[in-house]
Structures are given as C-alpha cells and as structure tokens.
Amino acid sequence: MDDIFYMTGKKININDIAEVAREVNVKSIFIPESADVLQIEYSYDIMAEWFCMKLEDFYESEDKKFFDRNKIQSVFCISSHLSSFDFILPHIKMLMQEYGGWIGSDSDGFQPCFNHENIDCFTYYIS
C-alpha cells in the first residue's frame, strides 16, 4: 500500500468523502464506528482507505508551510496501491470539484502536488 494525501482549505470529514464516493457509484463503502477512517471498494478488488488526520500529526516544517500557505483545514491520507489510482481518480476529481484542494505525495511539503487543473498528470508521476 502507498500513501498520498488529499488536503483542502474547507472543513470536511469522512462523511463528506463518503457522500461524494456515492455520487461516483463506488462498489461499497464501510465506515467503522471510530468514524475517522473510511474504506471504499471502487471496483472488484480495488480498495482504498481514507484516514482523517489532524494537522498536528505533521511535524515537518515543509508540511506546515504548505498548510499555512494554502490555508489547509482538512487532511486525509489515502492508502491504496498506486497502480489502482485510475479507479480512484473519478472520486478525487469530484472531491476537488466540490471542495477544491490538492493531492500530494508522502514527502516533504507533499511534493509533487496536484490540484484540479493538473491532477491528470499524477498518473505520469506514478508510472
């Protein structure tokens, strides 16, 4: 499993992520009682887990700079196999359309980082 991050300047939660997933007709959605994680089956055997994170969970100065510069209020770690990204992409695009934000890699300052204008380039990054 690989991790990427969805970050937005809007205050959203796991239920908002699930609601948008329903709009793109995913196969199944499971929200455990803890309600800070969401498991989505996008297609047969294509899964991703979305973890709601706190900004305080990030200690790197570059990460904090990104949050400040972009007025980030919500962060979700998306854990899946990046080879499955094409199945997750419609959900991510709809989230970006609804709430704006960025997809960033698990590196200092989330670089490279993609928004709704260049998210299709992410597939070139993972190939």
Side-chain angles (χ1 to χ4, degrees):
M1 298 288 262
D2 299 293
D3 293 337
I4 57 176
F5 295 91
Y6 172 62
M7 303 156 284
T8 179
K10 309 262 170 121
K11 195 84 165 150
I12 63 173
N13 59 40
I14 288 294
N15 292 321
D16 298 316
I17 301 292
E19 184 64 32
V20 172
R22 286 181 190 94
E23 292 178 30
V24 294
N25 298 318
V26 297
K27 188 170 181 190
S28 67
I29 297 172
F30 176 68
I31 303 175
E33 283 187 34
S34 68
D36 61 351
V37 67
L38 169 70
Q39 297 172 339
I40 300 175
E41 185 175 9
Y42 289 91
S43 182
Y44 180 74
D45 257 359
I46 306 294
M47 304 282 294
E49 292 185 344
W50 291 69
F51 299 92
C52 183
M53 303 191 70
K54 297 177 183 165
L55 298 180
E56 304 84 52
D57 292 338
F58 296 87
Y59 301 105
E60 299 292 326
S61 63
E62 290 301 312
D63 297 348
K64 291 178 187 257
K65 286 178 189 174
F66 183 90
F67 293 155
D68 290 342
R69 185 173 52 249
N70 296 291
K71 298 177 177 43
I72 299 300
Q73 293 189 45
S74 303
V75 179
F76 298 88
C77 176
I78 307 166
S79 193
S80 75
H81 296 288
L82 289 182
S83 60
S84 305
F85 187 75
D86 287 341
F87 291 92
I88 302 168
L89 187 57
H91 182 205
I92 289 173
K93 284 182 173 181
M94 189 164 277
L95 282 167
M96 289 180 159
Q97 182 178 353
E98 183 82 19
Y99 301 111
W102 297 264
I103 289 292
S105 67
D106 189 8
S107 64
D108 289 346
F110 307 103
Q111 297 303 312
C113 197
F114 302 87
N115 62 19
H116 72 284
E117 295 172 358
N118 64 0
I119 188 63
D120 290 321
C121 296
F122 189 82
T123 55
Y124 299 113
Y125 168 70
I126 60 174
S127 2

